[in-house]
């Protein structure tokens, strides 16, 4: 492999020149990746890793169709969108065709964070309202405006919730306030939003938007109960606000049955604004906000021009068009459904076999996988869409082996783990090569409740560490 520096020197230079808040995966022994192809990544020694982390490489790392499209357009022209060019209008037309009819106006940006920031601007300009309702544990981006509405972040540091931000309970029927045995969990969770709106109005405040991922990712892969989004949209619209669906992580066919995750909840639910990003460019920085003509015209009426130097440039749009072509031509949405169903069945068998799961890693088994959720007890499986049934089987086999070792180390009896007097098996866990992913959005200093690497955690966390499929 061609490298500028040895791994040791690369680490040294990173420590010297890269901000200390910019974390790397596997902090105790980072992997140096030098190339990637489809769903596999390779280190400087040629070791192959199955990538179950990179939802950004949506159609596969270094897909030749994407590379060819970028190269072809870059050789011809790349400039900003204030010049007339066919790529941006063709891409906007193709994206709009995948969405409900009323979502037809596009604003191109460079990242999901930029897209969500712009969505907030659109929502606030629409009626002149300011306040935002967000979900607990939500994460919508790294800009200051988004950290303010991301409890996943602002509850970890010294930041306090702003007066214009209102946090609604996560509609989690598995471990939330209203569970599967509730008579009408959708209405119960929606009524929490209704109460927030009423309290805000009583305080003289006005709601600009409700924002939520169509499936909450950092919150633990939460799928809201049927009817929840419809009821919330009704309450928010009644308050003069808009509904923003964040599809930055979960769009572009990843759910299999539908192209957009919000479509899972029925044709009678259509957001007012949809944001998208990560998978759009297969690693190339491109993102978008799609909204209605009414909201777009209200934004324009402010008199302020919206201009983004790189947003919608010819190369980015050529790459985006190539990604859409590949999703369709290689039936990657269908593949997501088939392999997803197969993987679900494999994991259901693991759920029956293993009673406990902790904050574990699979790096030693050449599988890159992360955990998330309020207690970091939910496996986050988001590989490129070319992931195969063979890959799924390999991943689950490695998971099975690791869970077996973990359970042997901790003791197989549930009561021996959940007892408040049971000491943690730190040494045994280390010997079992269990390692936690330290990524850019989670750090042990940010939340003391998230103890890791074999350290003791509270009884509630231990009780909740079930494999959720």
């Amino acid at each position: 492999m061609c490298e500028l520096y040895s791994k040791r020197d690369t680490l040294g230079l990173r420590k010297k020149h890269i901000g200390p808040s910019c974390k790397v995966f596997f902090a105790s022994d980072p992997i140096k990746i030098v190339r990637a192809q489809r769903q596999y990544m390779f280190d400087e020694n040629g070791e192959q890793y199955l990538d179950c982390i990179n939802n950004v490489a949506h159609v596969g790392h270094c897909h030749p169709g994407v590379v060819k499209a970028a190269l072809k357009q870059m050789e011809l022209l790349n400039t900003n969108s204030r010049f007339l060019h066919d790529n941006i209008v063709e891409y906007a037309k193709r994206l709009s065709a995948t969405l409900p009819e009323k979502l037809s106006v596009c604003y191109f940006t460079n990242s999901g964070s930029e897209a969500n920031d712009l969505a907030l601007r659109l929502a606030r300009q629409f009626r002149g309202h300011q306040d935002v309702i967000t979900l607990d544990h939500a994460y919508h981006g790294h800009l200051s405006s988004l950290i303010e509405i991301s409890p996943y972040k602002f509850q970890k540091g010294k930041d306090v919730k702003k007066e214009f931000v209102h946090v609604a309970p996560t509609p989690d029927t598995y471990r939330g306030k209203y569970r599967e045995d509730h008579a009408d969990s959708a209405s119960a969770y929606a009524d929490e939003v209704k109460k927030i709106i009423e309290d805000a109005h009583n305080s003289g405040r006005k709601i600009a938007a409700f924002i939520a991922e169509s499936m909450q990712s950092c919150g633990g892969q939460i799928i809201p109960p049927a009817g929840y989004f419809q009821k919330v949209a009704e309450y928010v619209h009644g308050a003069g606000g808009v509904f923003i669906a964040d599809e930055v992580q979960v769009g572009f066919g990843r759910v299999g049955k539908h192209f957009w995750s919000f479509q899972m909840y029925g044709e009678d639910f259509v957001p007012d604004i949809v944001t998208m990003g990560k998978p759009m460019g297969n690693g190339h920085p491109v993102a978008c906000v799609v909204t209605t003509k009414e909201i777009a015209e209200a934004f324009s009426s402010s008199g302020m021009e919206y201009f983004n130097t790189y947003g919608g440039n010819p190369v980015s749009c050529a790459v985006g068009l190539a990604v859409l072509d590949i999703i369709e031509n290689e039936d990657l949405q269908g593949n997501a459904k088939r392999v997803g169903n197969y993987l679900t069945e494999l994991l259901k068998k693991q759920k029956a076999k293993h009673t406990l799961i902790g904050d574990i890693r699979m790096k030693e088994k050449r599988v890159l996988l992360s955990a998330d959720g309020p207690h970091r007890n939910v496996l986050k499986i988001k590989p490129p869409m070319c992931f195969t049934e063979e890959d799924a089987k390999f991943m689950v086999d490695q998971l099975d082996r690791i869970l077996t070792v973990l359970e042997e180390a901790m003791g197989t009896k549930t009561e021996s783990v959940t007892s408040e007097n049971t000491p943690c098996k730190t040494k045994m866990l280390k010997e079992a090569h269990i390692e936690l992913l330290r990524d850019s959005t989670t750090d042990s200093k940010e939340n003391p409740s998230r103890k890791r690497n074999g350290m003791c955690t509270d009884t509630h966390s231990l009780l909740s560490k079930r494999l959720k499929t």
Side-chain angles (χ1 to χ4, degrees):
M1 303 293 176
C2 180
E3 298 178 79
L4 291 176
Y5 307 103
S6 67
K7 181 177 177 178
R8 179 179 178 180
D9 288 344
T10 300
L11 281 168
L13 287 168
R14 184 181 179 98
K15 184 175 181 180
K16 181 178 180 181
H17 296 296
I18 305 300
S21 297
C22 302
K23 306 297 184 182
V24 294
F25 291 149
F26 315 108
S28 63
D29 182 23
I31 302 174
K32 185 177 183 180
I33 296 296
V34 297
R35 68 182 182 92
Q37 193 72 32
R38 291 179 62 79
Q39 64 270 47
Y40 303 105
M41 304 181 80
F42 301 85
D43 66 15
E44 76 280 13
N45 299 314
E47 292 286 351
Q48 176 180 293
Y49 295 84
L50 178 61
D51 183 3
C52 298
I53 291 177
N54 273 291
N55 58 335
V56 177
H58 194 61
V59 300
H61 289 282
C62 304
H63 193 290
V66 174
V67 175
K68 182 179 178 180
L71 177 61
K72 182 179 179 180
Q73 183 58 53
M74 194 170 288
E75 288 179 329
L76 186 63
L77 169 72
N78 197 27
T79 186
N80 68 58
S81 58
R82 299 179 82 168
F83 290 100
L84 198 62
H85 196 273
D86 287 343
N87 282 10
I88 188 171
V89 294
E90 175 65 10
Y91 192 27
K93 183 180 76 171
R94 290 277 301 276
L95 281 176
S96 297
T98 68
L99 291 158
E101 186 176 359
K102 80 170 190 177
L103 294 169
S104 59
V105 182
C106 300
Y107 297 86
F108 290 100
T109 66
N110 305 305
S111 69
S113 289
E114 279 193 2
N116 281 332
D117 177 77
L118 178 57
L120 291 181
R121 289 179 58 192
L122 289 168
R124 285 168 168 156
Q125 177 63 30
F126 183 52
R127 302 284 190 201
H129 298 178
Q130 176 71 11
D131 288 25
V132 177
I133 303 173
T134 187
L135 293 178
D136 202 7
H137 309 299
Y139 174 69
H140 294 289
H142 61 78
L143 301 182
S144 296
S145 63
L146 304 175
I147 295 297
E148 290 175 345
I149 63 167
S150 297
Y152 185 77
K153 282 291 187 181
F154 72 59
Q155 288 182 356
K156 292 180 180 180
K158 295 180 180 179
D159 296 327
V160 295
K161 184 174 74 66
K162 301 295 190 293
E163 190 178 8
F164 58 81
V165 177
H166 311 276
V167 180
T170 302
D172 180 3
T173 59
Y174 182 80
R175 190 175 286 112
K177 185 175 182 179
Y178 309 108
R179 304 194 178 188
E180 295 167 347
D181 58 354
H182 191 279
D184 188 357
S185 58
S187 294
Y189 278 117
D191 285 345
E192 295 279 350
V193 176
K194 182 180 180 181
K195 186 177 186 305
I196 286 174
I197 294 173
E198 292 171 348
D199 290 345
H201 285 178
N202 290 336
S203 300
R205 309 197 65 86
K206 295 181 179 181
I207 303 299
F210 172 92
I211 184 170
E213 290 181 280
S214 301
M215 290 192 303
Q216 195 178 24
S217 53
C218 291
Q221 318 306 296
I222 305 301
I223 302 175
Y228 170 73
F229 279 155
Q230 285 90 335
K231 293 178 185 297
V232 168
E234 178 185 344
Y235 297 147
V236 172
H237 289 157
V242 302
F243 193 112
I244 303 172
D246 181 342
E247 293 267 340
V248 171
Q249 293 205 54
V250 296
F252 289 86
R254 182 162 288 275
V255 295
K257 189 175 181 180
H258 301 282
F259 199 79
W260 301 105
S261 293
F262 73 79
Q263 293 171 325
M264 295 189 302
Y265 308 110
E267 294 182 0
D268 60 335
F269 170 63
V270 180
D272 303 294
I273 301 174
V274 175
T275 60
M276 52 194 77
K278 292 182 186 296
M280 287 184 72
N282 209 54
H284 185 89
V286 57
C288 188
V289 178
V290 186
T291 190
T292 66
K293 288 184 178 180
E294 183 184 13
I295 292 174
E297 288 170 359
F299 187 58
S300 178
S301 69
S302 70
M304 183 184 295
E305 178 188 5
Y306 175 74
F307 171 61
N308 188 312
T309 302
Y310 298 109
N313 70 76
V315 173
S316 292
C317 291
V319 167
L321 285 165
V323 169
L324 291 179
D325 287 340
I326 293 164
I327 292 173
E328 181 178 354
N329 295 339
E330 298 184 8
D331 189 27
L332 294 183
Q333 185 177 332
N335 185 65
K337 183 177 180 180
R338 290 187 296 272
V339 177
N341 289 338
Y342 176 70
L343 177 57
T344 298
E345 290 305 311
L346 293 178
L347 290 174
K348 283 181 179 177
K349 293 177 181 178
Q350 292 298 309
K351 181 178 178 180
K353 181 178 180 181
H354 301 286
T355 58
L356 293 175
I357 179 169
D359 290 341
I360 65 169
R361 291 297 315 149
M362 297 177 71
K363 188 189 78 168
E364 301 295 335
K365 301 298 183 182
R366 302 294 184 259
V367 176
L368 305 180
L369 184 66
S370 62
D372 222 320
H375 305 291
R376 287 190 59 77
N377 62 330
V378 179
L379 294 180
K380 193 171 185 178
I381 306 169
K382 48 189 179 74
M385 294 275 277
C386 50
F387 202 68
T388 66
E389 289 187 356
E390 290 76 14
D391 296 325
K393 180 67 164 57
F394 176 74
M395 186 207 77
V396 173
D397 285 346
Q398 304 313 310
L399 175 62
D400 182 17
R401 294 188 180 107
I402 286 181
L403 290 178
T404 299
V405 171
L406 177 64
E407 288 172 346
E408 289 175 353
M410 298 182 72
T412 57
K413 293 183 179 181
T414 304
E415 60 266 26
S416 68
V417 179
T418 57
S419 169
E420 294 182 357
N421 297 321
T422 301
C424 292
K425 313 286 188 179
T426 306
K427 183 178 180 182
M428 288 184 172
L429 291 177
K430 289 181 178 179
E431 290 173 351
H433 301 291
I434 305 302
E435 182 174 349
L436 178 69
L437 170 66
R438 294 178 181 269
D439 62 23
S440 59
T441 59
T442 55
D443 182 68
S444 59
K445 295 180 180 178
E446 291 180 324
N447 191 336
S449 69
R450 295 183 180 182
K451 301 293 186 178
R452 55 193 63 187
N453 289 341
M455 294 176 67
C456 291
T457 183
D458 58 47
T459 304
H460 173 73
S461 297
L462 286 171
L463 286 169
S464 68
K465 289 179 187 247
R466 292 280 302 178
L467 177 61
K468 188 173 188 298
T469 58

